Amino acid sequence: MISSKADILRELDKLPNSSLQDVNALLHSLVPKIEAKEISLLEVIEALGTSLTNPNPSHRGIGTRLLADVLHTLPRNKLNHEEIIFLTAFFVDRFKDHHSVTPHVIYAIMGLAEQENIGKDEIVALLKALFREVHCQSQIMTDRRNIFTFLKFCILNKIEAVQEMGTDFVLGFVTAMDGEKDPRNLVLLFAVVPVIVKCLPLGPFTEELFEVVAAYFPIDFVPPADDPFGISAEDLVLGLRQALSSTPAFAPFCIPLIQEKLDSDLYSAKLDALHTLVACCDIYTSEDIRPHVSPLWVSIRREVVERSSDEAESAALLALTSMMKALERGAVSQASRDAGLSLTNSALMECLGHLTAPEQRLMYPSAHLLIALIASGPGPTTSIAEKVLPLLAQQFVSKTEESARKNTIVILGRFMEETSKYSEMTEESGVLPKYEDVCWEAFSQGLSCSSSAVQEATVTAVRSAMSVLSSEHLTQAANTMTSLLISVNNKHLRDSIINTFSAMSQVQPRIVSDHIFPHLLREMEQGNLRNCGVTDSQILDTLAILTSGKLLLVKVLPVLWKRAEETMVSSPECSCLHFSCIQKILKNTLQDDDCQKYVVEEWKGIFNIVGMSVRAIVSEEIKSPVPILKCLSAIARVLVTHMKDTKPLVESMIQLLLHNGEEELSDLSRELLSAHQDISDLLAQFMTSTRAMLLVYLYEGVMLGMPRSFEASGLDSFLEKLREQSMNSCSPEVQETAAVLLASILNKIPMGSNFNRIISTSSEKLTEALETTNPTDKREAALQTLTWICKALVVRGAQEEKVWTEKMLSLLCDPAIGQKAAQDFEIILKEHEYAFRPETFSNIRLLYKQRYFENVVGPLVDTFDNTAGNTKENALLAVSSILPHLPTLVLNAHIKKLLPVLLQGVTSDKLAVKETTLSTLATLLKQTAVHATPHISTLIPNLLSITSNQPMGIRMKALECLEALASLPVPVLRPYKEKVISELRPVLNDKKRVVRQSAVSARSSWLLVGAPGKS
């Protein structure tokens, strides 16, 4: 770095002969000296004299560029006013220099303008010199961008100076912009135009500014694939639209342009014109729009009637609404008011005739046009509703054709819905009350009609007009629709009624509570549902959907619970249906604080669940209580996960299991014991009695909802009991439930010495149970527990996961439980129905599946390559078990390594290995079959050999693989085409229809190999 002032000035003097590296070093030395006031800018310019006055333009450019770099590097408050005046005069003069110097001057004035002490006069001087001396479009793209950036900076930050120039700035801007083609520059310019029209008088240059902007309408730009700037066509379209709609002064020129594009044959131009018209109508006044109403109406109507696309129709209707809003907004003259009235009358005149022909195609476009006018405001709404509502209501009553009635009632509902958005229309003297009775007569006839299609359309119409109908009419509709819901078998009609009831529960919950629910509950309690066209399940699903808010929850929950309790002995299946309905209802309603308070405090949800679980366990009349207990566990899980403070409940449940002395129990524990006397005996026999062990389902429901990092006294002992039960229970279902619960708790408890002790103890116990001297069933139970604990560690990303995974890998060579160990690898990556999920507050590490697969795939492939017999097949089964649960990107990264392994599984003698392998292979081949090309000579014959005389699942997966292979290049497939087509012919007669369908699809794909259009 150059240190002394004299050396710096000497280097400035010989600048033209310096290298680029020397110039940069000089700049870094010079700026600190200027900041420290050791060198003044005047001295710098004097030292640059040889460069600035050099006969060679390139040397003058180097000097000017160095000065520009200095200005951009200095702090914004460094230069005083006198220095700025001097530099302004200097650069204004520099604009007259050779054209090769001009880019450096442009860059310099950008830095100068950013100085805080620059005055209004200096900005004006720079702008005038720029407009006068520089022809913008003669510069290269980067220099033009610098000019536009300078202009944007001035108008955003130096507006007083720009306003002093007035129309001179507008003219200069128009001249600079005219002919610009670079997308980046255009985005910048389009953003500046609205600021110009807002802050400056356009004067005689209004049309010139519009024309220079409108030249780009409509935008036709496709960004290059390698565009580094990321400018999209949408950026340009939105910028141009904002510019064109920025001022009403553009209206006399812009609306005819839009009209011209609407009449063109180019779809994109029409669409852009419609969107631009919407933007313009938000800014332009009614006087601006009025002269163009008639031709615009003709163009918009044509777009809606012809309906070239949904997008074009929506844009046209929105444009009509916006145009009518503009006419209604601030109409100051009689002519503007007449224009709005004329548009409404024209629309009625042309559309009413089509509304009276509901069986024809033009009814819906005509209705949409009128509805678009209604959406603009209450003005046209009154005129339209007065004509349309009685017309449609009377037409529905008089028509007999099904399609005509269906179309009419749907449109009537839409008109009523749109009209109801204005308070003036719903007042006592409004249009809607005036015609409500007439419309209700149509709805009533539609609901009682014999045609299910008309009934469904009427239900949809009632849902649309719900806010208009009186309570009396809504009650009648609710009663009629409830009867339909109970009696009909039409799924679409039932779904429509349920959707209407769901909407009604939000608007009129009292009607649902007082009229719909009693009817449904009465039918449910009487048990006559199956004789009425629908099942218990359908009614319960309806109740689950409709129940929202405390009012409805209080009405339905006790009745469902009582019904479930009553049927628990006589019909456990029916009881489970009711419990499942309760679970769905609680899941939908417990987010509401009032509902949660009712369920927890008033209804005593946990006490009811505990009591029902105990009754199901101790009742000798219930032969198999497990399905009921599973349903109750699911209810408890939903309830606990929504409770604000679960710690007292969880601690009480642990206390009940571990302590016998009542004096050691908490108040909640004593309350649970006193409410349910049988629970004491069950808890005492938790580890010995087959029935008492079923309490694990209750504990699962409560404990799965415990929060992360939960700690409680006795938790270690509780986990030990769970571990023992998962290994020693005589019921496989209880074993699995205990293992899942144990693993879920281990996933949540905080890391530390306690966690390490529990893991270490579990490892020792499981190692003992897995010894080969133990019975196979005990070893399989221990393996299941080992797998679930491994999953808990993998999901939370614990360091111990590697050790536990190695234990599972080591079991693949075990002749007794090796195959089960291989299958259990699926448990670790497969999503569980309710455990290890965010809603149960599990510790889930990001990308844990990918990380685990990367760690385990290598050892599994090595085991496959380096072993034989059962161990080799078990390694293959393990790989096949985990692949279906991995993201596609992970599979693609390892497909070359995995394919040779999977291909050998196709010929395995073990059906479990073969089916799992084929399923995974089919998934991989559908994603990318190209990697199978090297193995095609053995793969195709092997697949063909198992398309018959195998279980149905294997036959179908083999056919799926063959169909996926048909996507390979024709030269690869041609040698095998005839063989595949021939050998698949007998499969077309397979005894299973689904296999025949798969065979047809696969054979058709191979028949097309080599056909025209196939590569």
Side-chain angles (χ1 to χ4, degrees):
M1 181 181 246
I2 308 169
S3 57
S4 68
K5 173 180 177 179
D7 291 341
I8 292 175
L9 294 177
R10 257 194 314 274
E11 290 296 326
L12 288 172
D13 185 57
K14 59 180 183 180
L15 182 64
N17 300 319
S18 302
S19 65
L20 180 61
Q21 185 176 359
D22 293 337
V23 172
N24 290 333
L26 178 59
L27 179 65
H28 290 134
S29 301
L30 176 60
V31 171
K33 296 292 184 183
I34 297 176
E35 290 183 20
K37 298 185 178 180
E38 295 179 22
I39 300 178
S40 68
L41 276 174
L42 180 59
E43 289 176 310
V44 172
I45 294 175
E46 289 176 349
L48 286 171
T50 54
S51 299
L52 298 176
T53 59
N54 195 297
N56 190 334
S58 62
H59 290 178
R60 299 200 298 276
I62 293 172
T64 306
R65 183 67 184 199
L66 178 67
L67 193 55
D69 288 334
V70 169
L71 289 174
H72 278 277
T73 311
L74 286 174
R76 298 291 173 256
N77 58 355
K78 178 61 185 173
L79 300 183
N80 58 42
H81 193 223
E82 289 73 19
E83 290 173 320
I84 291 174
I85 292 174
F86 170 72
L87 289 171
T88 299
F90 173 77
F91 287 121
V92 166
D93 183 65
R94 287 284 99 182
F95 271 125
K96 300 175 183 178
D97 204 336
H98 191 269
H99 65 84
S100 63
V101 180
T102 301
H104 307 301
V105 180
I106 295 169
Y107 183 66
I109 66 172
M110 290 172 62
L112 182 61
E114 291 177 353
Q115 287 292 320
E116 294 177 0
N117 295 320
I118 191 168
K120 198 165 46 171
D121 295 339
E122 287 72 46
I123 291 290
V124 171
L126 292 174
L127 285 170
K128 286 184 176 180
L130 177 66
F131 289 146
R132 182 177 64 250
E133 303 295 343
V134 180
H135 183 253
C136 180
Q137 292 303 315
S138 299
Q139 310 300 314
I140 62 173
M141 187 275 291
T142 53
D143 295 332
R144 298 199 309 275
R145 182 161 185 82
N146 285 339
I147 291 174
F148 299 141
T149 303
F150 173 67
L151 296 179
K152 180 181 179 181
F153 175 83
C154 290
I155 198 165
L156 292 179
N157 300 282
K158 306 294 179 181
I159 187 61
E160 293 181 358
V162 174
Q163 286 175 332
E164 188 173 301
M165 291 184 66
T167 55
D168 289 343
F169 182 89
V170 178
L171 178 60
F173 180 84
V174 169
T175 305
M177 180 179 178
D178 191 14
E180 180 58 45
K181 295 180 180 179
D182 181 72
R184 279 201 306 159
N185 289 344
L186 287 174
V187 169
L188 186 152
L189 290 167
F190 291 155
V192 171
V193 170
V195 185
I196 291 177
V197 300
K198 179 181 178 181
C199 301
L200 298 177
L202 301 183
F205 303 114
T206 302
E207 186 173 359
E208 284 75 6
L209 179 59
F210 171 80
E211 291 297 338
V212 78
V213 173
Y216 301 98
F217 184 80
I219 293 290
D220 183 16
F221 171 69
V222 179
D226 57 348
D227 181 18
F229 306 112
I231 300 296
S232 65
E234 185 180 11
D235 295 330
L236 291 166
V237 168
L238 295 178
L240 177 57
R241 189 174 299 157
Q242 183 183 19
L244 292 174
S245 63
S246 57
T247 174
F250 285 165
F253 319 110
C254 186
I255 296 181
L257 174 65
I258 291 173
Q259 181 68 57
E260 177 188 336
K261 301 305 178 184
L262 286 175
D263 294 336
S264 72
D265 295 328
L266 189 62
Y267 172 76
S268 60
K270 287 184 179 182
L271 197 59
D272 200 359
L274 289 168
H275 289 306
T276 304
L277 178 59
V278 172
C280 290
C281 287
D282 291 339
I283 303 298
Y284 296 176
T285 67
S286 58
E287 294 298 321
D288 298 323
I289 302 290
R290 179 182 55 79
H292 311 281
V293 168
S294 295
L296 286 174
W297 159 248
V298 172
S299 300
I300 290 172
R301 183 192 61 202
R302 182 180 63 246
E303 289 304 314
V304 175
V305 170
E306 294 180 358
R307 200 175 186 273
S308 56
S309 72
D310 291 344
E311 188 178 10
E313 182 188 28
S314 299
L317 293 172
L318 182 58
L320 179 59
T321 300
S322 300
M323 185 169 68
M324 194 65 184
K325 282 183 178 179
L327 291 173
E328 293 283 310
R329 183 181 62 241
V332 295
S333 67
Q334 184 62 40
S336 296
R337 289 189 285 272
D338 291 344
L341 184 60
S342 174
L343 176 57
T344 303
N345 291 334
S346 297
L348 283 170
M349 186 180 302
E350 297 186 33
C351 296
L352 279 181
H354 298 305
L355 291 182
T356 58
E359 64 281 350
Q360 296 181 6
R361 186 187 71 84
L362 293 180
M363 180 187 187
Y364 274 95
S366 300
H368 292 159
L369 287 167
L370 293 176
I371 289 172
L373 288 175
I374 289 176
S376 65
T381 300
T382 303
S383 303
I384 295 172
E386 285 277 4
K387 297 277 189 182
V388 171
L389 294 183
L391 173 69
L392 292 177
Q394 293 166 9
Q395 179 172 285
F396 178 84
V397 174
S398 61
K399 291 285 184 179
T400 57
E401 301 86 352
E402 180 181 284
S403 62
R405 303 190 88 196
K406 184 174 69 173
N407 293 338
T408 300
I409 201 70
V410 169
I411 293 299
L412 176 59
R414 285 286 312 280
F415 272 105
M416 294 180 72
E417 179 183 21
E418 293 298 323
T419 305
S420 67
K421 293 178 180 178
Y422 307 107
S423 58
E424 302 96 315
M425 303 297 115
T426 57
E427 293 173 353
E428 188 175 349
S429 58
V431 175
L432 289 173
K434 181 178 178 180
Y435 295 109
E436 182 185 349
D437 289 340
V438 178
C439 295
W440 169 247
E441 183 182 351
F443 289 148
S444 180
Q445 285 196 21
L447 291 173
S448 58
C449 177
S450 58
S451 167
S452 61
V454 176
Q455 287 177 328
E456 184 179 345
T458 307
V459 170
T460 302
V462 170
R463 183 164 66 249
S464 299
M466 194 175 299
S467 59
V468 179
L469 297 175
S470 64
S471 297
E472 179 185 354
H473 289 152
L474 270 182
T475 300
Q476 294 178 39
N479 290 331
T480 305
M481 288 189 289
T482 305
S483 299
L484 286 174
L485 183 68
I486 298 298
S487 59
V488 300
N489 284 317
N490 187 308
K491 182 180 183 301
H492 295 292
L493 177 56
R494 293 189 70 258
D495 289 345
S496 184
I497 292 173
I498 291 171
N499 290 335
T500 302
F501 284 168
S502 181
M504 194 180 294
S505 68
Q506 305 297 324
V507 179
Q508 293 278 8
R510 184 64 65 181
I511 292 178
V512 177
S513 172
D514 295 346
H515 297 278
I516 298 174
F517 274 13
H519 196 166
L520 295 177
L521 294 173
R522 185 167 58 252
E523 293 289 339
M524 179 187 70
E525 290 173 341
Q526 291 174 355
N528 295 328
L529 298 178
R530 287 185 178 83
N531 298 326
C532 299
V534 290
T535 63
D536 284 347
S537 177
Q538 290 171 324
I539 290 295
L540 292 171
D541 287 343
T542 303
L543 290 171
I545 293 170
L546 297 184
T547 305
S548 61
K550 183 180 176 181
L551 175 67
L552 300 179
L553 182 64
V554 171
K555 191 87 174 180
V556 74
L557 183 57
V559 178
L560 287 174
W561 188 264
K562 181 181 177 183
R563 179 66 177 167
E565 185 177 13
E566 290 172 350
T567 58
M568 197 162 59
V569 174
S570 60
S571 177
E573 296 82 5
C574 181
S575 182
C576 287
L577 285 176
H578 286 76
F579 283 133
S580 297
C581 178
I582 292 171
Q583 180 198 355
K584 294 174 186 176
I585 289 173
L586 293 181
K587 190 179 291 187
N588 294 335
T589 57
L590 284 180
Q591 289 88 350
D592 181 78
D593 290 340
D594 291 338
C595 293
Q596 186 181 130
K597 184 177 180 181
Y598 166 75
V599 173
V600 174
E601 298 179 10
E602 298 180 38
W603 187 62
K604 297 288 185 181
I606 287 296
F607 287 86
N608 285 330
I609 294 168
V610 172
M612 195 73 79
S613 299
V614 170
R615 182 184 168 191
I617 293 172
V618 300
S619 175
E620 296 180 359
E621 296 175 315
I622 302 176
K623 302 302 181 185
S624 178
V626 171
I628 294 174
L629 292 173
K630 285 183 177 180
C631 292
L632 290 168
S633 175
I635 295 172
R637 192 166 55 247
V638 172
L639 180 54
V640 173
T641 53
H642 285 88
M643 289 174 62
K644 292 183 172 62
D645 183 13
T646 59
K647 186 174 181 179
L649 174 62
V650 174
E651 289 182 338
S652 298
M653 294 297 292
I654 294 174
Q655 281 182 354
L656 287 174
L657 185 62
L658 301 181
H659 298 285
N660 294 323
E662 191 170 330
E663 66 279 355
E664 300 177 7
L665 299 178
S666 66
D667 293 339
L668 180 57
S669 299
R670 292 194 185 93
E671 193 175 353
L672 285 168
L673 281 176
S674 62
H676 311 290
Q677 299 297 327
D678 294 324
I679 195 171
S680 298
D681 297 333
L682 290 174
L683 290 169
Q685 304 170 31
F686 185 66
M687 301 302 298
T688 56
S689 167
T690 303
R691 281 275 181 164
M693 286 183 180
L694 297 178
L695 276 176
V696 72
Y697 290 103
L698 174 61
Y699 275 90
E700 181 195 50
V702 174
M703 301 295 287
L704 273 182
M706 61 184 278
R708 296 182 197 174
S709 303
F710 176 82
E711 293 183 284
S713 60
L715 187 60
D716 296 11
S717 302
F718 176 71
L719 293 177
E720 185 177 346
K721 286 183 179 291
L722 283 178
R723 186 176 62 247
E724 291 299 318
Q725 200 173 72
S726 70
M727 295 163 55
N728 299 319
S729 173
C730 58
S731 167
E733 289 183 317
V734 171
Q735 287 179 351
E736 183 178 7
T737 303
V740 172
L741 179 54
L742 169 65
S744 298
I745 297 174
L746 286 175
N747 174 265
K748 297 179 187 180
I749 60 178
M751 305 290 284
S753 58
N754 189 42
F755 174 80
N756 294 334
R757 184 173 61 256
I758 295 172
I759 292 296
S760 177
T761 305
S762 299
S763 178
E764 293 173 4
K765 295 289 185 181
L766 290 170
T767 302
E768 292 176 10
L770 287 168
E771 290 180 358
T772 54
T773 56
N774 291 321
T776 301
D777 58 344
K778 183 174 182 180
R779 297 182 70 208
E780 288 182 347
L783 172 60
Q784 179 173 252
T785 306
L786 170 71
T787 304
W788 280 105
I789 294 178
C790 183
K791 180 181 179 73
L793 299 174
V794 169
V795 172
R796 76 179 295 170
Q799 294 179 350
E800 294 81 1
E801 69 168 271
K802 184 176 180 182
V803 177
W804 287 72
T805 302
E806 289 174 353
K807 288 182 181 180
M808 292 190 64
L809 289 168
S810 67
L811 293 171
L812 293 177
C813 60
D814 192 293
I817 61 173
Q819 182 173 336
K820 177 171 173 53
Q823 292 171 330
D824 281 359
F825 271 91
E826 181 181 27
I827 291 175
I828 297 177
L829 294 188
K830 185 178 180 181
E831 295 287 344
H832 193 267
E833 183 183 356
Y834 51 83
F836 301 100
R837 303 179 76 89
E839 55 265 31
T840 52
F841 314 115
S842 299
N843 271 319
I844 303 176
R845 185 176 176 182
L846 189 66
L847 303 178
Y848 78 89
K849 291 185 178 181
Q850 291 88 325
R851 189 186 68 256
Y852 178 75
F853 178 71
E854 294 287 349
N855 293 336
V856 81
V857 66
L860 285 174
V861 174
D862 292 341
T863 302
F864 178 83
D865 292 336
N866 301 322
T867 57
N870 288 335
T871 304
K872 188 183 189 74
E873 291 195 341
N874 290 339
L876 171 61
L877 180 58
V879 171
S880 301
S881 297
I882 61 178
L883 292 185
H885 308 290
L886 288 167
T888 304
L889 291 177
V890 179
L891 289 176
N892 290 340
H894 295 275
I895 191 169
K896 289 184 179 179
K897 183 192 297 184
L898 294 171
L899 263 178
V901 179
L902 295 173
L903 294 179
Q904 294 192 39
V906 175
T907 57
S908 173
D909 294 331
K910 293 185 177 180
L911 292 180
V913 175
K914 184 181 293 185
E915 186 168 4
T916 307
T917 302
L918 283 169
S919 178
T920 305
L921 185 61
T923 302
L924 288 174
L925 292 177
K926 287 175 184 176
Q927 292 166 2
T928 170
V930 67
H931 295 294
T933 303
H935 314 280
I936 200 80
S937 60
T938 56
L939 179 57
I940 288 180
N942 287 338
L943 290 172
L944 288 172
S945 68
I946 56 176
T947 55
S948 58
N949 301 321
Q950 295 286 335
M952 185 182 74
I954 291 177
R955 302 201 305 273
M956 289 189 63
K957 290 300 178 182
L959 291 167
E960 287 180 25
C961 291
L962 286 169
E963 183 176 359
L965 289 173
S967 63
L968 288 171
V970 174
V972 176
L973 300 177
R974 196 179 298 278
Y976 310 97
K977 178 179 177 180
E978 294 302 325
K979 179 180 176 65
V980 172
I981 294 173
S982 174
E983 295 198 18
L984 286 182
R985 187 178 292 112
V987 189
L988 299 176
N989 295 320
D990 193 281
K991 58 184 179 181
K992 294 292 185 180
R993 182 174 61 85
V994 288
V995 177
R996 295 197 299 271
Q997 289 176 335
S998 297
V1000 169
S1001 180
R1003 193 166 183 268
S1004 299
S1005 299
W1006 278 86
L1007 284 168
L1008 292 174
V1009 170
K1014 297 284 283 184
S1015 58

